Amino acid sequence: MNIGILCYPSYGGSGVIASDLARCLARRGHGVHVFSYETPFRLQQFEANLVFHQIEVLDYPLFRFPPYLIALASKIVEVARRDHLDLLHVHYAIPHTPAAFLARDMLARERRLPIVTTTHGTDITLVGRDPQFFEVIRFSLENSDGVTAVSHSLALESKETFGLEKMPRVIPNFVDVDEYIPHDNPALRKLFALPEEKILLHISNFRPVKRLQDVIKVFAGVNRVIPSRLILVGDGPEKTMALQMVQELAIEERVHFLGRQENVAEIFALSDLFLLPSEKESFGLVALEAMACQVPVIASRTGGLPEVVDHGLTGYLAPVGDTEAMTQWALGLLSDPLLYKAMAEKARSEALRRFCADPIVDAYEQYYKEILDKA
Ligand code: GMT
């Protein structure tokens, strides 16, 4: 098949999944065309069968807001004609699905170009609920040839929020279990912690939905009993609040702000515990990456997180905002080496059993075929 993939290039999970899927499909011999405004960070290396198309928007004084949607649609039309695209797979509905619709309509007399939209979370749960976008997203989901969601929770929420007739197909996210592997790196670990200290990790875009204040509260509670360090990877609007909170709690020396990082597999591997106390999380790809590196997860019981983290088996779940419970789970786990070892190993084995790339890429391929057969 010749498949067009539309995605955001940034560090968020939707861009990671779109890029990893693009790579896997290209390695299976499909012709893959990725459309975005920058090269996605996980597609910087050459990959046979994979072409990246950068969307550049004409800079004209009249355009106060660059017409990205139109530039994207026009690039899709050009590539679809030249490279005979069979299908478009859109990651994150806004603005990608409306752009895909425009391209599909422009090509209608020449070819059929089915569109599969994958909802990732905030396109439904945050942006999608905004009155400005609600009708556009509903139209996008109703008029896509296929819709997938990354968890059962998100599929249900998409159906209920937008009153969809059909439930989206659930195809969960996956992790590259050869890249995200447990490994000891004492030299790197030494840079952050003493041998007797524990390392807690959080990675996100530091948006309010991630509840960074809860990450810091849980860490402070753990550190009072077990000397520990907190590594924070990412950047975003809550960073100033986090810096202030760390200062007020007088734990500056124990908290390492690393900013945005590309090679997070190494950072996971030197950590003892991953914290993800989000308000909402449709899946929690970072939690899965932690598990693949044999790092248990403490997260909130929200959205799709219970579909990823098994309470008591691969980590612990607590109600959103219940930092006391999260702290107690963390302390119990970090002070019991046998329990810790069992949970860490289970985290890796569950990531391998339920979320490795091959069967999930099979599920996407199968879905494409069903959509093309209907076309
Ligand atoms: O909030 C983020 O982490 C970014 C966002 C995105 O659009 O990339 O992540 C969403 O999609 C990821 C990939 O499917 C999911 O793993 C995240 O849970 C989801 N974020 C939220 O639902 C808040």
Side-chain angles (χ1 to χ4, degrees):
M1 284 179 251
N2 289 320
I3 303 156
I5 291 189
L6 281 62
C7 66
Y8 282 104
S10 48
Y11 290 78
S14 63
V16 171
I17 287 298
S19 308
D20 286 0
L21 177 62
R23 265 196 319 204
C24 291
L25 291 167
R27 285 177 192 171
R28 290 181 177 201
H30 297 292
V32 181
H33 295 263
V34 176
F35 299 84
S36 197
Y37 54 82
E38 268 165 23
T39 313
F41 80 101
R42 286 178 71 81
L43 291 181
Q44 306 278 354
Q45 316 259 327
F46 167 75
E47 189 72 53
N49 303 326
L50 195 154
V51 183
F52 170 65
H53 303 277
Q54 182 160 19
I55 311 305
E56 283 176 273
V57 183
L58 177 75
D59 185 16
Y60 184 66
L62 190 63
F63 298 155
R64 177 142 168 238
F65 304 103
Y68 181 70
L69 189 153
I70 292 173
L72 177 56
S74 144
K75 180 63 89 181
I76 296 168
V77 168
E78 175 200 315
V79 175
R81 277 193 182 124
R82 194 183 55 226
D83 294 298
H84 310 288
L85 292 186
D86 295 305
L87 175 136
L88 292 175
H89 186 176
V90 171
H91 291 263
Y92 209 96
I94 291 285
H96 301 131
T97 309
F101 286 167
L102 181 55
R104 182 176 70 183
D105 283 2
M106 286 162 76
L107 290 162
R109 284 166 189 239
E110 302 161 39
R111 60 174 55 245
R112 177 115 171 78
L113 189 58
I115 295 165
V116 171
T117 297
T118 291
T119 59
H120 277 275
T122 48
D123 46 354
I124 301 300
T125 58
L126 289 175
V127 182
R129 285 181 189 276
D130 189 294
Q132 206 177 47
F133 293 109
F134 185 87
E135 284 300 335
V136 175
I137 300 210
R138 181 162 56 189
F139 182 82
S140 299
L141 299 181
E142 275 174 347
N143 290 282
S144 290
D145 298 87
V147 178
T148 79
V150 298
S151 62
H152 291 278
S153 148
L154 183 62
L156 193 64
E157 190 165 350
S158 308
K159 184 172 187 294
E160 283 175 354
T161 307
F162 298 100
L164 304 179
E165 260 174 43
K166 273 176 68 183
M167 186 73 109
R169 172 82 54 99
V170 177
I171 304 185
N173 288 333
F174 58 92
V175 64
D176 182 340
V177 291
D178 297 322
E179 180 183 347
Y180 289 85
I181 41 167
H183 64 272
D184 283 335
N185 189 341
L188 188 61
R189 200 183 151 101
K190 225 160 102 184
L191 296 179
F192 294 101
L194 299 170
E196 66 277 16
E197 290 173 338
K198 301 293 181 192
I199 297 183
L200 279 65
L201 173 67
H202 170 78
I203 303 180
S204 77
N205 49 24
F206 290 16
R207 300 229 170 97
V209 71
K210 303 294 174 184
R211 297 187 67 93
L212 204 49
Q213 72 276 23
D214 288 0
V215 172
I216 297 168
K217 275 189 206 159
V218 173
F219 169 74
V222 170
N223 181 53
R224 262 178 233 124
V225 182
I226 303 175
S228 303
R229 304 282 173 153
L230 174 63
I231 297 183
L232 292 171
V233 174
D235 208 344
E238 295 289 280
K239 182 161 181 192
T240 312
M241 177 283 298
L243 284 164
Q244 221 167 3
M245 200 170 158
V246 161
Q247 201 180 22
E248 279 162 19
L249 291 167
I251 49 175
E252 295 106 306
E253 282 177 14
R254 306 219 141 248
V255 182
H256 306 271
F257 285 85
L258 300 193
R260 289 198 182 110
Q261 295 286 330
E262 287 193 7
N263 190 6
V264 285
E266 263 202 291
I267 304 173
F268 278 117
L270 61 85
S271 307
D272 297 298
L273 200 57
F274 187 75
L275 302 177
L276 194 60
S278 311
E279 182 85 35
K280 272 249 172 215
E281 205 66 67
S282 69
F283 184 90
L285 184 61
V286 274
L288 174 58
E289 290 169 348
M291 284 165 56
C293 294
Q294 217 161 290
V295 180
V297 176
I298 294 205
S300 32
R301 190 176 286 111
T302 185
L305 278 169
E307 296 171 46
V308 181
V309 180
D310 256 323
H311 179 72
L313 204 68
T314 57
Y316 293 104
L317 300 169
V320 172
D322 192 346
T323 51
E324 188 42 44
M326 293 180 195
T327 308
Q328 290 312 319
W329 289 124
L331 284 170
L333 180 60
L334 293 173
S335 53
D336 183 339
L338 281 182
L339 173 67
Y340 182 85
K341 186 169 180 292
M343 199 171 263
E345 284 172 2
K346 194 71 183 165
R348 168 82 184 164
S349 66
E350 283 298 286
L352 285 167
R353 188 176 74 80
R354 295 167 52 212
F355 300 109
C356 70
D358 261 349
I360 293 167
V361 177
D362 287 347
Y364 275 118
E365 255 183 341
Q366 175 58 35
Y367 194 52
Y368 297 162
K369 283 183 195 143
E370 285 173 36
I371 298 291
L372 285 170
D373 285 347
K374 271 196 255 160

